[in-house]
Amino acid sequence: MASTMTISPDPLLCLRHSIASNHPPILTTSPDATAASDAVDNLAVATHLQFTEPNHQSFPLDTPTRFISSEKNVVDLRSIYLAWQKKDVAIPDYIASAQQLNEELSASGGAGGKVQNLVFVERLDLITWLEGASDDSEYIKPLESDGSAAAAAGSAQVASGAIGGITTVPSGAAGGRPGKVIDPRLAEIYNGERRMGDRNSVLRGIKPTDFSHIRKTAEVFLGRNRNRPGHTSTATANPNANPALVSLPKKPGRRPDPIILLSPSASSLLRMSNIKSFLESGTYIPPDNALAGSSNTANILHISRLLPSIDPQRPLRFILVDTPEQFKPDYWSRVVAVFTTGQTWQFKSYKWQSPPDLFKNALGIYIGWRGEDVPVTVRGWGRGVTSAQVDKWNQNTGSQGRWRDREVVEGIWGQIEEAMRSRSWGKDGGPLAR
């Protein structure tokens, strides 16, 4: 008799859909909140998270999710929602918020339980997935329904004896008596034995290494070579090739986000608090001014910009940070610009600590006051560094009348676009790891 399997709704997908539809979920103290008093703002008191989009769903906040941390711990919904709420704050503030929430959860009137801290890379990966900028995550397990077809096929092969099952030992010559089955107790002993490896398996390790970003980036160069005159394609060179395989369309991969590094110096005119308003709105506001808009403690920002010569259809999503301390090795190939004040101590933690080497691989940008000279050190770094000047801030007029800032910003974006194009950035991906 056939049975119908009901797939339970997934809290991670519900949260992602609610963010995309701009209908944030509601913290409640009951599974089915009907009264206004059931809705709360305090995550330590709430017991459920209620979604209205795409369907009406309610999940307990201690529900385990498909997000698995690097320490192989299952992260619950309350920890996921806290990471999303604190997506724009600095790491120390996020850790302090988690500790305070744990104290409130265990106190009288709290909902109980405990939230987990996500490290920088895990939190960045989660936020990127929730915002819809990526369709896959190395920390989120696929839904069980995604593997049901593969599991059914595997079960059919086991049932037919093609794979798996109980090992048989041949007995007698061909055409003789059928083979006898190994005793189940002996098979259990075999399964408990330690498997010995050779030098190849030891060198390969147990953690799989994902080189998909290398393949995606190499495809840009390989495709460019195929379009050159006189280049013979694989299909033409090999007449015996299977035409079905040759014409098989390749699935486009996720385009990596380019990175812009800022100077952490207190004397820099552009810092994390005012860089977003400068590059997006085209208006310079001092970093310590209340009109700057961004928090001074934010350690990562995102802005989007359409660069027509690279991709005329989709805006590129840029990541802005002022320190590379959380970088993975392949992140350096995505660095497209570095804002500098001319102080070389800024580069001590960089992959390229020498300014000439650094500005061969990324565009240098110096911002100073209009009418003041560019520092001699910056001029000595050559054509790899571009300079721009903005008018000094007038407290009386504020942001009014700063029409020349827009011209400066457009010039900076033009330089970044030209530098990215010269380093082989395209609509499908960035350059190879440098």
Side-chain angles (χ1 to χ4, degrees):
M1 181 176 64
S3 62
T4 302
M5 182 179 66
T6 303
I7 301 175
S8 60
D10 180 64
L12 283 180
L13 284 179
C14 289
L15 181 58
R16 186 182 187 187
H17 290 158
S18 68
I19 294 171
S21 60
N22 200 21
H23 288 81
I26 303 171
L27 293 170
T28 66
T29 56
S30 63
D32 190 10
T34 55
S37 59
D38 293 336
V40 294
D41 295 330
N42 191 349
L43 190 56
V45 178
T47 59
H48 290 75
L49 193 62
Q50 189 174 98
F51 298 93
T52 57
E53 292 290 338
N55 298 311
H56 185 85
Q57 299 285 346
S58 181
F59 296 94
L61 284 168
D62 57 359
T63 301
T65 68
R66 295 181 290 117
F67 193 96
I68 309 298
S69 68
S70 54
E71 298 179 355
K72 306 303 180 185
N73 295 326
V74 178
V75 182
D76 62 358
L77 183 56
R78 193 189 305 270
S79 303
I80 295 292
Y81 192 64
L82 174 67
W84 168 252
Q85 283 186 321
K86 305 297 180 181
K87 62 185 178 68
D88 293 324
V89 304
I91 294 178
D93 295 338
Y94 165 68
I95 296 176
S97 300
Q99 293 174 349
Q100 181 181 358
L101 179 58
N102 284 330
E103 293 175 359
E104 295 176 358
L105 286 170
S106 58
S108 176
K114 185 178 180 182
V115 296
Q116 301 182 41
N117 286 332
L118 301 183
V119 299
F120 175 82
V121 177
E122 295 172 353
R123 190 156 63 111
L124 178 61
D125 187 271
L126 172 65
I127 294 170
T128 303
W129 185 85
L130 288 175
E131 289 179 340
S134 172
D135 291 331
D136 53 1
S137 168
E138 60 178 299
Y139 299 102
I140 299 178
K141 294 196 306 182
L143 290 170
E144 294 181 0
S145 58
D146 296 341
S148 59
S155 300
Q157 288 180 314
V158 171
S160 63
I163 60 172
I166 301 176
T167 307
T168 58
V169 178
S171 176
R177 294 179 300 171
K180 63 180 181 180
V181 179
I182 294 180
D183 187 275
R185 292 172 297 177
L186 185 59
E188 184 177 356
I189 294 175
Y190 287 162
N191 292 333
E193 290 182 348
R194 179 183 177 184
R195 297 182 179 180
M196 304 298 293
D198 57 8
R199 61 185 181 88
N200 292 324
S201 61
V202 171
L203 290 176
R204 190 172 294 113
I206 60 174
K207 183 178 180 181
T209 304
D210 183 13
F211 292 104
S212 59
H213 65 285
I214 300 295
R215 294 196 298 270
K216 297 170 186 175
T217 307
E219 183 61 29
V220 177
F221 296 94
L222 295 177
R224 188 178 301 160
N225 291 333
R226 295 190 189 102
N227 296 331
R228 290 179 179 176
H231 184 270
T232 305
S233 65
T234 306
T236 306
N238 185 10
N240 297 323
N242 190 337
L245 296 178
V246 173
S247 61
L248 185 65
K250 292 181 172 59
K251 182 181 179 180
R254 177 198 167 196
R255 180 173 61 190
D257 297 333
I259 299 174
I260 296 178
L261 276 169
L262 305 182
S263 172
S265 173
S267 63
S268 176
L269 299 186
L270 292 174
R271 300 206 290 271
M272 294 295 286
S273 58
N274 65 341
I275 184 65
K276 191 167 185 178
S277 62
F278 182 69
L279 293 180
E280 279 190 340
S281 305
T283 303
Y284 175 79
I285 301 173
D288 54 353
N289 193 288
L291 299 175
S294 299
S295 171
N296 234 340
T297 59
N299 64 329
I300 182 170
L301 296 172
H302 299 92
I303 61 174
S304 296
R305 174 79 179 191
L306 184 66
L307 302 182
S309 65
I310 295 178
D311 190 343
Q313 303 295 331
R314 295 182 299 163
L316 278 85
R317 183 172 182 262
F318 289 82
I319 297 176
L320 283 73
V321 292
D322 60 357
T323 174
E325 61 182 11
Q326 299 290 345
F327 272 24
K328 292 181 179 180
D330 61 307
Y331 283 13
W332 286 105
S333 64
R334 294 158 51 186
V335 176
V336 297
V338 178
F339 282 84
T340 179
T341 59
Q343 298 166 302
T344 55
W345 59 262
Q346 173 186 349
F347 315 134
K348 286 186 177 181
S349 58
Y350 285 15
K351 176 181 179 180
W352 306 286
Q353 299 181 3
S354 170
D357 293 338
L358 172 62
F359 299 122
K360 286 179 183 177
N361 293 278
L363 174 68
I365 303 175
Y366 170 81
I367 303 295
W369 295 123
R370 193 178 304 277
E372 296 184 359
D373 294 333
V374 178
V376 177
T377 54
V378 175
R379 293 201 305 266
W381 290 339
R383 294 183 300 174
V385 182
T386 183
S387 302
Q389 295 179 324
V390 295
D391 296 325
K392 289 188 176 181
W393 178 259
N394 188 327
Q395 191 65 33
N396 296 326
T397 59
S399 59
Q400 300 296 327
R402 300 194 63 88
W403 54 270
R404 290 202 287 188
D405 292 347
R406 168 62 67 180
E407 181 181 355
V408 173
V409 171
E410 292 301 322
I412 292 174
W413 278 118
Q415 295 278 356
I416 293 176
E417 182 175 4
E418 176 64 27
M420 291 177 65
R421 191 170 62 250
S422 66
R423 292 179 176 90
S424 304
W425 279 84
K427 62 180 181 179
D428 295 324
L432 292 170
R434 293 166 278 171

